Amino acid sequence: MKIDKIININSKVNFKSEQKNHKFCNNEEKYIYDKFEKDNILSAKFSKNGCLEKIEYKTFLTPAKAILSLVNTNNDNIIQSLLYHMHTSDELEEMALDVASDDFLKSLNIKKLIGLGAFSLVFEMDNGKILKLTNGEHYPNKRKPDFFDLPVEKRGKSCRTCYYIEEKISQDNITQDELKEFVKKIEEKGYFLRDYLNFEPNYDDNLNFKIRIDQFGKTKDGKLYLIDPGCVLPPKKSYRYFKLLKKFFK
C-alpha cells in the first residue's frame, strides 16, 4: 500500500518551524530555531512502498540540526514518511531542543539518517557508530538487556530524549534458518516477540511467514543480534515462577 493512500499530503500540517525562543528543560538557557534557508539534505532513499530508508546530508551536522533539517524540508515524500511514523513537527522540535542542551550530543557529527521508527530516529555518525534517539526507554516494560540485544556502548538521557551509541551492524548474508534458530533461543527464555514477521502471499493464496531481516543484524565479528529491542517483551511472572519450580524439583 502506498503512503499517499494513507496520508493526504494536502492536509495542512505545519512542518515549518517559526523562529521563536524555547526554554531548555533546566530553564537556564534559551535556544533559537534556525530557519535553514538552505536545505541540508543531499539525497533521500525510499523503499518500494514509499517508506523512508535513508537520508544523506550535505555536510556533517549536530544531532539537533539533523533533526531540524527534517522539520524544515520541502520534500513531500519525507514529510509523508515522518507523518506515517507519527513524527510531528512539534515532537521533532522538542527532541531537537533536548539534544541541543546536552554537551556530549552537541559534540557529535551526524553523517546520515539510516532508520526511522514510531519512537526513534537512527543516525550514522562520522566515526561509523550509530546514534539512536528515542522519546522513551530503549527496552519495553523496563526489561533488562539480554544475550540477543545489540550491546550499547554509551547511553544517557537529555530532558525527555534518551540516546544510545551502538556499533553499526550489517544485514548481509543473514539467512532465514539463522533467524529461526535465533528467535527460537529467545522464545526458549520465555520472551515474547512481536513485529518481526513479514507476510507474503504465494500462488496457493496462503501466507508465507518470513522473519524480517531489518530487525536483526551482525556485528563485525559475525555475531547475530536483535537491533530493535521493542520487538521483545519480557517473560510473564507466571512463566518465571514455573521455571523456578521446575528447577527446584529437579
Side-chain angles (χ1 to χ4, degrees), residues 132 138-140 143-152 166 169 182 186 191 216-217 219 223-232:
K132 286 185 181 179
H138 207 34
Y139 305 100
R143 73 168 177 84
K144 295 181 179 180
D146 211 328
F147 74 94
F148 49 82
D149 290 304
L150 182 64
V152 174
E166 298 173 342
I169 50 83
F182 191 60
I186 296 173
Y191 289 99
F216 302 84
T219 50
K223 192 170 181 180
L224 186 63
Y225 286 104
L226 176 76
I227 59 175
D228 183 2
C231 289
V232 178

Side-chain angles (χ1 to χ4, degrees), residues 85-87 91-92 94-95 98 117-121 132-138 157 160-164:
H85 288 91
M86 297 181 289
H87 290 293
E91 179 251 328
L92 291 172
E94 286 180 359
M95 181 177 282
D98 289 348
F119 304 102
S120 64
L121 299 177
K132 286 185 181 179
L133 298 175
T134 67
N135 49 20
E137 287 295 328
H138 207 34
K157 188 174 183 180
R160 299 142 293 196
T161 300
C162 300
Y163 66 86
Y164 304 86

Side-chain angles (χ1 to χ4, degrees), residues 3-20:
I3 301 299
D4 56 9
K5 291 184 179 180
I6 300 175
I7 296 171
N8 179 8
I9 63 173
N10 293 320
S11 59
K12 295 183 179 180
V13 179
N14 179 25
F15 249 81
K16 290 295 177 184
S17 174
E18 296 180 0
Q19 191 169 3
K20 54 187 176 181

Side-chain angles (χ1 to χ4, degrees), residues 3 9-10 46 73-83:
I3 301 299
I9 63 173
N10 293 320
F46 299 86
T73 183
N74 291 318
N75 187 307
D76 287 338
N77 292 324
I78 294 176
I79 294 172
Q80 287 183 62
S81 286
L82 290 168
L83 293 175

Side-chain angles (χ1 to χ4, degrees), residues 171-187 193 196-200 207-218 224:
Q171 291 167 332
D172 299 330
N173 303 317
I174 299 178
T175 67
Q176 284 293 309
D177 288 339
E178 282 181 293
L179 293 175
K180 288 176 183 177
E181 184 62 28
F182 191 60
V183 167
K184 182 181 177 182
K185 290 179 180 178
I186 296 173
E187 291 177 333
L193 280 83
Y196 74 104
L197 292 174
N198 273 331
F199 309 108
E200 298 180 355
L207 288 175
N208 289 326
F209 296 88
K210 287 189 176 181
I211 298 174
R212 292 174 52 183
I213 294 178
D214 61 312
Q215 299 286 41
F216 302 84
K218 287 183 178 180
L224 186 63

Side-chain angles (χ1 to χ4, degrees), residues 3 18 20 24 28 44 52 54 58 64-65 81 99 126 131-132 142 156-157 169 177-178 183 195 205 207 223 241:
I3 301 299
E18 296 180 0
K20 54 187 176 181
F24 281 133
E28 293 178 355
L52 181 63
K54 182 172 67 173
K58 292 179 180 178
K65 287 187 176 182
S81 286
V99 300
D126 60 336
L131 170 67
K132 286 185 181 179
K142 297 182 179 180
K157 188 174 183 180
I169 50 83
D177 288 339
E178 282 181 293
V183 167
D195 193 27
D205 293 328
L207 288 175
K223 192 170 181 180
Y241 293 150

